[in-house]
Amino acid sequence: FFAPHIRINRWSSWLRETFPHWEYSSVTRADGGLDSRYYDYHFPLSLQNGGSFEVGVNRSIEGPSAPFRVNARRNISIPAGRYEFNDSFVTFRTNPSSRMSGNFRLAFGDFYNGTKRSYDGGFTTRVSEQLNVTATLSRNVIDLPVGAFTTTLVGSRIVYAFSTRMF
C-alpha cells in the first residue's frame, strides 16, 4: 500500500489535497494455487468545498478451482480457470457535512470472461444533528458468453447518534 498525501498551495482555492495510492492483495489456496489477486490504482481529489472526485483502475486476477454460479435464476456460472480483468471507475461525492449530500459512481470493464457496467448513487439527508437518512441505488449490467443479466439493489440506512460516543 502506498498513499502520499499531497497539498499544493497553488490550487488551494479549489483543491484541498490529493492522495494517489495503489494497493495489492493476494490470496492463495492451500495447494499453492492462486485463488485471487487484486491491484488498485486510485487518484482521488479532496475539494475545498468538502466534496471529492476520484478516478481509478482495479485489476483482478481470479483462479476459481471449481465452477461457481453468479446468477441462480438464469443458471449462469463461471467455469473454473484463470481470469484476468480490469475495471475503471469515476466517483463524485458532494460535501457529506451539508444538510443534503450525494454520491455517484460509474464503473465499466471486464468481468471474468465478459463485461460489466456498474452505476451506483445515493443521497443523504441530515435531518438533525443526531439523525441521518440515506438512500442508495446500485445497478450492475453483466454480459458473459453464457448469458447476460442485470442486478439492482436498493438500500436505505437510518443513523441516530445519541452522543458523539454512542450511535
Side-chain angles (χ1 to χ4, degrees):
F1 181 74
F2 175 72
H5 287 256
I6 303 167
R7 291 184 180 223
I8 301 172
N9 292 334
R10 181 176 24 176
W11 297 331
S12 64
S13 66
W14 64 274
L15 178 64
R16 182 172 297 155
E17 77 174 355
T18 182
F19 49 102
H21 59 273
W22 63 270
E23 187 174 333
Y24 165 82
S25 65
S26 185
V27 177
T28 55
R29 293 189 294 270
D31 66 5
L34 174 69
D35 192 47
S36 180
R37 186 169 295 144
Y38 174 79
Y39 306 84
D40 73 31
Y41 308 95
H42 294 199
F43 187 76
L45 301 172
S46 295
L47 308 176
Q48 289 290 11
N49 67 8
S52 64
F53 176 80
E54 183 173 1
V55 295
V57 174
N58 300 318
R59 177 163 175 70
S60 298
I61 302 171
E62 300 290 335
S65 58
F68 67 95
R69 187 170 293 160
V70 292
N71 187 301
R73 192 171 50 130
R74 293 211 166 107
N75 198 26
I76 297 174
S77 295
I78 301 290
R82 182 181 172 102
Y83 301 91
E84 297 185 25
F85 50 96
N86 298 317
D87 71 2
S88 302
F89 70 90
V90 60
T91 300
F92 178 74
R93 293 179 190 92
T94 63
N95 183 354
S97 66
S98 297
R99 182 153 283 316
M100 293 198 66
S101 62
N103 64 76
F104 179 76
R105 183 177 194 270
L106 171 64
F108 53 92
D110 305 320
F111 183 74
Y112 291 92
N113 55 350
T115 61
K116 178 173 82 167
R117 292 184 321 274
S118 297
Y119 311 91
D120 300 288
F123 68 91
T124 299
T125 301
R126 189 167 42 89
V127 178
S128 69
E129 290 181 7
Q130 286 114 347
L131 180 63
N132 287 342
V133 178
T134 301
T136 59
L137 176 69
S138 178
R139 186 171 182 89
N140 291 297
V141 180
I142 312 271
D143 188 10
L144 298 167
V146 294
F149 60 95
T150 299
T151 63
T152 303
L153 178 64
V154 177
S156 64
R157 181 177 182 171
I158 299 172
V159 176
Y160 187 84
F162 294 97
S163 71
T164 56
R165 294 183 179 178
M166 185 172 81
F167 59 93

